[in-house]
Amino acid sequence: MAKNKRSGFMTTFDQLQKGIRKNARSNDINSYLRSLTRDAISYLANNASIVDLTSKVTGKEYFSYSIDGTKSRAVNKLLYRDMEMAEIFLELLQSDEIRGNISSDDITSACYTITMSLACYIDITNKGDRQTPGTFFEYLITYMLTKHFKSDPSTRVRVDIGDDKVSLTMDLILSVDDDKTKYHIAVKNSTRERASEIWAHQRILDKAFGDNTYTGLFIGLCETKLDHKINEVTEICVPDQWRAYQQFLSALHTIYYVDVPRAYKNLNQKPPYIVVKQIGDFYYDVPQE
Amino acid sequence: MAKNKRSGFMTTFDQLQKGIRKNARSNDINSYLRSLTRDAISYLANNASIVDLTSKVTGKEYFSYSIDGTKSRAVNKLLYRDMEMAEIFLELLQSDEIRGNISSDDITSACYTITMSLACYIDITNKGDRQTPGTFFEYLITYMLTKHFKSDPSTRVRVDIGDDKVSLTMDLILSVDDDKTKYHIAVKNSTRERASEIWAHQRILDKAFGDNTYTGLFIGLCETKLDHKINEVTEICVPDQWRAYQQFLSALHTIYYVDVPRAYKNLNQKPPYIVVKQIGDFYYDVPQE
């Protein structure tokens, strides 16, 4: 790809970054997301070849984009769609008309397509950069949630420890309906060994402000791992650890994934009942402000 | 370095790894530790040059080993000693005669020298390998603790969740004195964003087996970060987050560091009173079995 094309892409990404900090639910954010998705999808379509991967996950198939031997992360074939789907979703998102006008499956596919096209673009054009795809997913989710709740995002809470007021950093804190409802929302591309932090933060909020003051959600992208040597895709899940966290640390209300890991799907069927759903369900579960 | 020299080094490392799994407190472990430390120190002395680093940590000075532009991690000048100190410590460790025969400061320096010489050797001869130095530190600590408590290491506990017995992985579980005393010991080179896991695991044990069943310790190496571009060393610490964990999640009994981070030193002076000490103090705090 021409250098100036990539530099244009990163300029838009910088604008998105600054925009999120300034006003996370402005229409500018929508245009940046649209522009980045369009550029990433068209770059991949015109320049990359498709490599089929071996899936070790029952019911899921994956491919990887590849240019000159550099491979992207694994992409779930069933979830990944096209620019048209992304456009429809972003359009409805802008006009606050998601619910009833697009199915949960299509919302989920659109989120997956937007996030993964950019991630694959970065994997290939700036090998080793894991931060840009990670923050991009956070920006998309922050835009979606702040629009939905008509609330500005915060990442800080102040708690009393001894005689001190201590400021703690969380992923996302949203105060809704004149502070009547509060959400603590962890947002991560994947959890790996960081899952305990989500339940630990929720417990801090429960203890510091009283149970049920903050509703705890976690929104994740996926838990896939691609072994680049043998082109094999697995899902890294620790359901027993999660059950222990939900039982002994705190109770998360719902966990939404864009690509729901198989091993977490049925955690709602026995104690301590962890509800794991696809991201599109969020719009049908939680009434809009 | 000649290829066969490095391959000899890694053969000894493999023997250490297998030895720890077979019998973590055998005298073989002591010989492997001694041999690896001797080889690493002499390799660095004969081949590497010393690069002075800019310290942003009050009261600490650092250098880095360097060969052909490849730099090792930052080494604390005051703590890093020589083979003689390492030998004295390992000798006393083997005969279970630490306490009273070597000061807490010298124990701490010996642990630092053993761990950092190997870490720097790996940084330089196998750039990007962070796993080997990490597991080496775990092996050293596992050897020290299992010797001290005359107890074999375990990493698993079984807890009841609903109708299930669920097996959870911890860093190190030691049962002492016919199960009368139990320790949960987290061992990590540095905590970064993984600190909450230590307190979360301790809480799971407190809730599943009753408060005070497991005494919680954390043993860490250091929290330094070297910016390779500008040769500047900082310590990455989050004392407020730690205080929130100790207040709202669980109470760790003591935290021992080899290179105690400045921002954690005085956490014992106000609630919730986190005790952070240098590793050498362990031998003077906890009576030997």
Side-chain angles (χ1 to χ4, degrees):
Chain A
M1 135 177 266
K3 269 244 159 105
N4 58 343
K5 249 196 168 170
R6 180 170 146 78
S7 109
F9 188 90
M10 291 316 292
T11 303
T12 311
F13 186 85
D14 290 344
Q15 288 174 317
L16 170 65
Q17 189 147 42
K18 280 184 195 127
I20 284 282
R21 281 179 200 145
K22 217 172 110 195
N23 178 1
R25 47 196 164 119
S26 86
N27 291 344
D28 290 348
I29 307 299
N30 200 295
S31 330
Y32 301 142
L33 291 170
R34 203 177 299 213
S35 151
L36 289 167
T37 306
R38 192 185 301 115
D39 288 354
I41 287 180
S42 87
Y43 174 77
L44 292 168
N46 294 328
N47 298 278
S49 58
I50 301 279
V51 178
D52 260 312
L53 303 171
T54 307
S55 170
K56 290 283 164 189
V57 188
T58 314
K60 294 188 184 180
E61 289 174 37
Y62 302 91
F63 70 90
S64 176
Y65 285 111
S66 168
I67 296 183
D68 299 336
T70 299
K71 275 201 306 278
S72 76
R73 65 194 60 199
V75 181
N76 182 324
K77 286 187 193 178
L78 280 175
L79 282 178
Y80 194 72
R81 303 277 273 278
D82 53 17
M83 190 60 209
E84 201 191 330
M85 177 61 71
E87 294 263 18
I88 292 169
F89 172 67
L90 287 169
E91 193 91 29
L92 290 167
L93 197 51
Q94 174 145 333
S95 53
D96 297 316
E97 291 174 315
I98 297 278
R99 190 170 172 145
N101 295 307
I102 176 173
S103 71
S104 169
D105 282 356
D106 285 350
I107 297 167
T108 303
S109 274
C111 289
Y112 191 75
T113 308
I114 293 168
T115 310
M116 293 302 281
S117 58
L118 180 128
C120 292
Y121 174 88
I122 297 289
D123 288 346
I124 284 182
T125 61
N126 196 25
K127 205 176 165 173
D129 174 4
R130 301 188 66 80
Q131 202 179 348
T132 307
T135 49
F136 181 73
F137 179 62
E138 283 166 37
Y139 297 154
L140 170 65
I141 298 298
T142 302
Y143 173 64
M144 286 164 60
L145 295 178
T146 54
K147 282 284 282 177
H148 190 80
F149 289 123
K150 299 201 181 4
S151 162
D152 291 327
S154 160
T155 59
R156 304 225 132 226
V157 293
R158 291 173 72 79
V159 302
D160 290 319
I161 299 181
D163 295 333
D164 303 331
K165 276 262 177 220
V166 166
S167 176
L168 298 177
T169 306
M170 309 270 154
D171 282 4
L172 192 57
I173 296 287
L174 289 174
S175 232
V176 181
D177 197 16
D178 290 330
D179 280 5
K180 269 181 228 136
T181 315
K182 288 164 192 272
Y183 288 92
H184 160 234
I185 307 168
V187 183
K188 297 185 193 303
N189 269 36
S190 69
T191 57
R192 297 289 187 271
E193 76 278 21
R194 294 175 310 251
S196 63
E197 189 193 81
I198 304 168
W199 279 268
H201 281 177
Q202 182 62 38
R203 180 170 163 81
I204 290 172
L205 296 171
D206 290 348
K207 291 288 284 182
F209 301 98
D211 285 344
N212 303 316
T213 307
Y214 283 87
T215 300
L217 306 178
F218 164 52
I219 300 184
L221 174 58
C222 62
E223 300 291 353
T224 50
K225 192 187 165 200
L226 168 59
D227 183 326
H228 280 260
K229 278 187 198 140
I230 54 173
N231 281 355
E232 197 176 87
V233 186
T234 47
E235 279 184 336
I236 309 288
C237 295
V238 284
D240 285 343
Q241 304 266 1
W242 278 34
R243 294 178 70 206
Y245 299 152
Q246 182 87 357
Q247 171 94 3
F248 298 119
L249 292 180
S250 59
L252 293 182
H253 186 279
T254 311
I255 291 170
Y256 295 100
Y257 268 100
V258 184
D259 181 3
V260 183
R262 284 195 67 84
Y264 293 150
K265 239 186 180 118
N266 297 321
L267 288 178
N268 66 332
Q269 310 208 338
K270 54 183 177 178
Y273 306 109
I274 310 177
V275 178
V276 182
K277 297 178 160 193
Q278 63 181 9
I279 182 75
D281 288 358
F282 170 80
Y283 287 92
Y284 289 89
D285 289 346
V286 185
Q288 183 155 23
E289 281 303 309
Chain B
M1 135 176 265
K3 270 245 160 110
N4 56 348
K5 248 198 168 168
R6 183 172 145 77
S7 108
F9 188 89
M10 291 317 291
T11 304
T12 311
F13 186 85
D14 290 345
Q15 287 173 318
L16 169 65
Q17 189 147 42
K18 280 185 196 127
I20 285 282
R21 282 181 198 143
K22 215 173 111 192
N23 178 0
R25 47 197 164 117
S26 86
N27 291 344
D28 289 348
I29 307 298
N30 200 294
S31 334
Y32 301 141
L33 291 170
R34 202 178 299 214
S35 150
L36 289 167
T37 306
R38 192 185 301 113
D39 288 354
I41 286 180
S42 87
Y43 173 78
L44 293 167
N46 294 329
N47 298 278
S49 58
I50 301 278
V51 179
D52 260 311
L53 304 172
T54 307
S55 169
K56 290 283 165 187
V57 188
T58 313
K60 295 188 182 181
E61 290 174 35
Y62 301 91
F63 70 90
S64 177
Y65 285 110
S66 169
I67 296 183
D68 299 335
T70 299
K71 276 200 306 273
S72 75
R73 64 195 59 198
V75 182
N76 181 324
K77 285 187 191 177
L78 280 174
L79 282 178
Y80 195 72
R81 303 280 272 277
D82 54 15
M83 191 60 208
E84 202 190 326
M85 178 60 71
E87 293 263 20
I88 291 169
F89 172 67
L90 287 169
E91 193 91 30
L92 290 167
L93 197 52
Q94 173 145 338
S95 54
D96 297 315
E97 289 175 319
I98 297 276
R99 191 172 172 141
N101 294 308
I102 175 173
S103 72
S104 169
D105 282 354
D106 285 349
I107 297 167
T108 304
S109 274
C111 289
Y112 191 76
T113 308
I114 293 167
T115 310
M116 292 302 281
S117 58
L118 179 127
C120 291
Y121 173 88
I122 297 289
D123 287 346
I124 285 182
T125 62
N126 197 25
K127 205 176 166 173
D129 174 5
R130 300 188 65 81
Q131 202 180 349
T132 306
T135 48
F136 181 73
F137 180 62
E138 283 167 35
Y139 297 154
L140 171 65
I141 298 298
T142 302
Y143 173 65
M144 285 165 60
L145 294 178
T146 53
K147 282 286 282 179
H148 189 79
F149 288 122
K150 298 200 178 14
S151 162
D152 291 327
S154 160
T155 59
R156 302 226 133 225
V157 292
R158 291 172 71 79
V159 301
D160 290 318
I161 299 180
D163 294 334
D164 303 332
K165 277 261 177 219
V166 165
S167 175
L168 298 177
T169 307
M170 309 271 156
D171 283 4
L172 192 58
I173 296 289
L174 289 173
S175 235
V176 180
D177 196 15
D178 290 329
D179 281 1
K180 267 180 234 138
T181 315
K182 288 165 193 272
Y183 288 93
H184 160 232
I185 307 167
V187 183
K188 299 188 192 302
N189 268 36
S190 70
T191 57
R192 296 290 187 272
E193 75 278 20
R194 293 175 309 250
S196 64
E197 188 193 82
I198 305 169
W199 278 270
H201 281 176
Q202 182 63 37
R203 179 170 164 84
I204 290 172
L205 297 171
D206 290 348
K207 291 288 283 182
F209 301 100
D211 285 345
N212 302 315
T213 307
Y214 284 87
T215 300
L217 306 178
F218 164 52
I219 300 184
L221 174 58
C222 63
E223 300 290 353
T224 50
K225 191 187 166 202
L226 168 59
D227 183 324
H228 280 260
K229 278 188 199 141
I230 54 173
N231 281 355
E232 197 175 271
V233 186
T234 47
E235 279 183 336
I236 310 288
C237 295
V238 284
D240 284 344
Q241 304 266 4
W242 279 32
R243 294 177 69 207
Y245 299 152
Q246 183 87 356
Q247 172 94 3
F248 298 118
L249 292 180
S250 60
L252 293 183
H253 187 280
T254 311
I255 290 169
Y256 294 101
Y257 268 99
V258 184
D259 182 3
V260 183
R262 284 195 68 83
Y264 293 149
K265 241 188 177 117
N266 298 320
L267 289 179
N268 65 333
Q269 311 207 337
K270 54 183 175 178
Y273 307 109
I274 309 177
V275 179
V276 181
K277 297 178 160 194
Q278 62 181 9
I279 182 75
D281 287 358
F282 170 81
Y283 288 92
Y284 290 88
D285 288 345
V286 186
Q288 183 154 25
E289 282 301 309

